[in-house]
Amino acid sequence: MHILVTGGAGFIGSHIVDAYLQEGHQVVVVDNLSTGKKSNLNQAAILYQVDICSFEELEVIFQKYAFDVVNHHAAQINVRRSIEKPIFDAEINIIGSLNLFELCRKYRVKKCIFASSGGAVYGTVKQLPVDENAITKPLSPYGIAKLSVEQYLDYYYQVWNLERVILRYGNVYGPRQDPQGEAGVISIFCNNILRGDPCVIFGDGWKTRDYISVHDVASANLLALYSSSEIYNIGTGLETSVNQLIDILQKIAQQKISVIHDKDRMGEIERIALLSKKANELLGWKTNVSLNKGIEEVFQWYQQKHCKSNN
């Protein structure tokens, strides 16, 4: 297949690019490199340093290639920034996405795979783990934008026959995650430990998330190429608190970790875990990386980076 991956030089996107290339697909990447890095990108992929908000520049790429699938991972992912600057968030996450979908319609792309957020779109839920039929009540502009894009995609599916596979991720972690970002607490903590800096916990540390390895996410995106139009949760079904992450990391690092507590952040949910039964049954997807094993891999990856930077 000819596949376009937006945000393909980013943390998650680059792992998906690797998976697609390994299966023999031809991959073109669009990334403005605001957070993505060329060093993340597989050399077999073709990179265009283009912003999804630039319709004209995107159209040149669609004119050049006949894409079978567009995998859309380019996004503004900072929840706090979406609260501070909701218009900025919407310009990228909604308008940028619409640029892509309009070009998919115009150039008759068969399918769009969209990276949504299982944490952000559901909001506060009554029963965990949550399935795809739960009421969606986002608590942040970021979550509202993700849900809006899902609904726009449904329009393009119903009216223009653009197949869409929506993947609602848990909290994705793994190698290549930027510790300077706000979405990757595991990477941030690993980096802080190796630098001798304290780990900052917002609130009491008992908020829970469903942490899913980027390797398992990449495998879901591979299977999504052959799925009919569906919405899938991609998570482990397990709640893990920040305090539990600290305990795991103390065992892996074999040291007592210094912790600082800061005030809670607005727009954040208290608890989440995703039921992925539908992905298990219809996609044939399952998780292969346990949290302990996954965190250990991330810690070792940062250890190597830390050693290189000190040499």
Side-chain angles (χ1 to χ4, degrees):
M1 293 184 192
H2 284 79
I3 305 172
L4 173 66
V5 180
T6 70
F11 157 52
I12 300 173
S14 64
H15 284 276
I16 292 163
V17 169
D18 287 344
Y20 285 166
L21 289 168
Q22 195 170 353
E23 289 294 308
H25 300 295
Q26 294 174 294
V27 180
V28 173
V29 169
V30 162
D31 199 305
N32 67 1
L33 301 181
S34 59
T35 56
K37 298 179 177 69
K38 283 184 180 178
S39 59
N40 286 340
L41 197 59
N42 194 307
Q43 292 185 346
I46 300 166
L47 172 64
Y48 288 88
Q49 191 173 340
V50 169
D51 196 305
I52 58 168
C53 293
S54 175
F55 186 91
E56 292 76 15
E57 287 182 279
L58 275 179
E59 185 162 26
V60 171
I61 299 165
F62 275 80
Q63 288 168 342
K64 190 171 181 179
Y65 303 93
F67 295 119
D68 299 297
V69 176
V70 168
N71 183 302
H72 182 28
H73 273 74
Q76 191 295 115
I77 63 167
N78 190 316
V79 174
R80 278 177 294 169
R81 195 167 189 190
S82 81
I83 292 166
E84 294 162 3
K85 297 183 176 181
I87 296 170
F88 171 76
D89 182 84
E91 284 170 346
I92 297 170
N93 290 348
I94 297 178
I95 302 302
S97 297
L98 281 174
N99 284 339
L100 278 171
F101 304 158
E102 271 296 282
L103 289 167
C104 285
R105 177 190 64 78
K106 185 174 180 180
Y107 291 92
R108 303 192 178 189
V109 175
K110 297 182 184 75
K111 180 182 289 182
C112 182
I113 299 168
F114 174 57
S116 190
S117 169
V121 301
Y122 292 118
T124 301
V125 292
K126 292 180 180 178
Q127 188 173 344
L128 293 174
V130 63
D131 69 18
E132 295 87 350
N133 295 318
I135 295 169
T136 49
K137 287 190 175 181
L139 295 176
S140 66
Y142 170 77
I144 292 166
K146 285 290 187 184
L147 187 58
S148 298
V149 174
E150 288 188 16
Q151 292 169 336
Y152 272 114
L153 261 179
D154 194 54
Y155 153 74
Y156 279 93
Y157 171 53
Q158 300 290 345
V159 176
W160 299 105
N161 203 31
L162 173 64
E163 292 278 334
R164 90 283 187 264
V165 181
I166 293 162
L167 303 178
R168 292 176 175 169
Y169 298 153
N171 275 52
V172 187
Y173 70 94
R176 301 181 198 162
Q177 193 163 30
D178 186 357
Q180 307 307 319
E182 73 93 41
V185 65
I186 291 171
S187 295
I188 293 168
F189 283 180
C190 287
N191 194 51
N192 284 10
I193 292 162
L194 290 164
R195 290 172 53 179
D197 295 335
C199 294
V200 179
I201 294 176
F202 296 95
D204 60 11
W206 291 113
K207 280 189 173 67
T208 65
R209 298 291 182 266
D210 187 334
Y211 293 96
I212 179 81
S213 166
V214 72
H215 304 301
D216 288 330
V217 166
S219 72
N221 278 270
L222 204 52
L223 292 165
L225 292 174
Y226 310 102
S227 170
S228 56
S229 289
E230 288 287 351
I231 298 174
Y232 298 107
N233 283 343
I234 302 297
T236 66
L238 303 172
E239 290 183 80
T240 304
S241 71
V242 180
N243 291 331
Q244 287 173 299
L245 289 182
I246 292 291
D247 288 342
I248 294 168
L249 278 163
Q250 285 186 149
K251 289 171 186 169
I252 290 169
Q254 297 181 326
Q255 68 181 75
K256 178 75 174 172
I257 296 171
S258 174
V259 169
I260 294 174
H261 284 266
D262 203 345
K263 63 181 180 180
D264 251 334
R265 298 186 291 191
M266 289 174 58
E268 291 214 342
I269 55 172
E270 287 294 320
R271 299 171 59 202
I272 194 68
L274 306 177
L275 186 66
S276 300
K277 186 179 178 183
K278 191 200 249 188
N280 302 153
E281 293 177 352
L282 300 185
L283 273 185
W285 175 82
K286 62 179 181 179
T287 58
N288 287 308
V289 183
S290 69
L291 186 59
N292 280 54
K293 182 182 172 185
I295 292 177
E296 189 171 1
E297 181 197 17
V298 177
F299 189 79
Q300 289 171 352
W301 189 80
Y302 276 101
Q303 262 184 327
Q304 290 174 354
K305 279 194 74 176
H306 189 71
C307 288
K308 285 178 184 175
S309 64
N310 287 341
N311 288 338

